[in-house]
Amino acid sequence: MAAHIRRRLRKGATTTAVAAAAVAALAASQAPAATLADGSAGSGDPKAAGEDTASGETDGAATGNSPYYTDLPPLVTPDRPGSSSDLPAAGSAEAGIPASVLAAYKQAERTVATTDPSCRLPWQLLAAIGKVESGQARGGRVDANGTASPRILGPALNGQGFALIRDTDGGAYDGDAVHDRAVGPMQFIPSTWASWGQDANGDGRKDPNNIYDAALAAGRYLCANDRDLALAADLDKAVLSYNRSSEYLRTVRSWFSYYQRGTHEIPDGTGTLPSTPSTPTPTPTPTPSPRPGTGSGPGVTPSPKPSSSKPGGKPSPGPSKPGGGGSTNPTPKPPTPKPTPPSETFGSLENAGTGPLRATAGQEFDERVSVLARNAVGAPLAKVPVAFTVTGDTGTLFAGGRKTVTIRTGTDGTATAPKLQAGEKAGEFTVTAVAGSGRPRTLTYAATVTARQADAIARTDEKALVAAPGEKFADAVTVKATYKDALAAGVAVTATMVKDRPGVIDNDKGPYFKDADGKPVRTLTTLTTDADGQLRLPEIFADGNEGTYLLRLTTEGGASVVIELTVEAPQETVPEEPAPDETAAPDAPKP
């Protein structure tokens, strides 16, 4: 029965051939880019070959119906149905997913669950697509930030066995200014990436070659059109939107089911590489047969075994060469899997000596958040990706304006986040460090932003401030704040009309300010010094009460100044009579 099933699987993986050359093997290469396929090979969609899609549209397929890997999972599942999805590193090698790649899939699932919970995206679906598109990013060959190295490129979509997609990005993503190519671990064509690209690792770039960015983009793409991926029909539509091929759907479905039954994390760079591209040229039989490729029977010489993964076995080391020539050697037995040693198992995440996190608004924090990763036996563990995230409304960000950054631990097991730049709003916020997959470890650090301060404030002139009852003070009040003899910019200042110099008792009569509606107010709390540390107060008005009044200005930091305001009626001036003219003639004598 098992042999019969294997024959059916092999037949399904080869009968969609469109007379094409096999693709180059996925392997660690020193070339600038590792291609997923080269030469002419069909896309698995008969409509795709030769189709003119100069506009970058191929029935809406994310990959442009590019080639993919048709290796099928072994019939023996990684564990019995319903088992844990966080198994130890034992069991079939095919069930292991490289650490960074697995972390990216799970992070994408968590992100989409927050922004689009009705989609119900399972990370195992991303893993299934990542398997057939890039062999889990070539077995986890990614750098410390999760970027494929070398980058992954599909063949030129030039209409020669593939869809025809003329260049849409000027070669920015795929390095090809003539035709488009599928790019990165999830194989997006440039025009699709331009619409769906994401920055999931917080480095300020939307990079299709980064597994974190690509996994989140794939998740959002699969959830488009209000799909609920917990429904079989919607899941099928989502997968077909990625590559419009029924064979592609069956292949992804098989890996999806396989990963749902169990998987485990393995070190980056140790994953199993795929061997069989879509629509390969059938391997010729060594002996003529009345019905080539139809199986076994009386008088029929069996064909050599295909290069696809044998159920329960290990894939052949590479794909068939262009024009056939596949190996006729029997498939080797899979090696006995070895459990991950404790030195490679993530144990704990600890504070690596981070001190109090405090800074003044707008200033840089002196302290940096640092963590220490240890393995299962307590020794420092290197190359562990740690995601640092700022949460709060103070406006504080990491250097470079990022809210989330991912840093890998060094040889000493420590990872240190970039410096924090305090926002302009005073208050508290947190920095969270998360590392590990399956059962992530989390550390949370409390941090505080204090308001800008001044230790002195004074008027810029000594001119008397006088106004008549019911009139406006003609001269404006201007003050200057300093901190440690330096100009203090952005300092909050409160202005209050008071009855006493300490400012204990507020005054409800005398001079006043006006609010936005023109109503009298005697306290202002929204004042801030400018870049030169100066503050020019709004206009001040006098009511009908005469007298001497006090205006008290107080800064954040405790500095204050009291200013006198005088309200008095102007004094009337009586004109003086002119002095008698002594040179005039004396009065005439009276009769």
Side-chain angles (χ1 to χ4, degrees), residues 26 36 69 101 105 123-139 152 184-187 211 218 242 248 252 255 259 274:
L26 263 181
L36 287 179
Y69 288 95
V101 179
Y105 296 151
W123 66 262
Q124 292 90 343
L125 179 59
L126 296 175
I129 291 175
K131 178 68 175 179
V132 302
E133 292 295 349
S134 68
Q136 310 300 18
R138 299 196 313 274
I152 303 172
M186 304 304 278
Q187 287 290 278
I211 184 60
Y242 219 87
Y248 181 85
V252 170
W255 282 108
Y259 288 136

Side-chain angles (χ1 to χ4, degrees), residues 176-205:
D176 191 333
V178 179
H179 297 98
D180 272 349
R181 296 170 179 255
V183 182
M186 304 304 278
Q187 287 290 278
F188 280 95
I189 55 174
S191 58
T192 306
W193 183 259
S195 299
W196 292 91
Q198 303 288 315
D199 176 18
N201 66 346
D203 65 356
R205 299 179 58 217

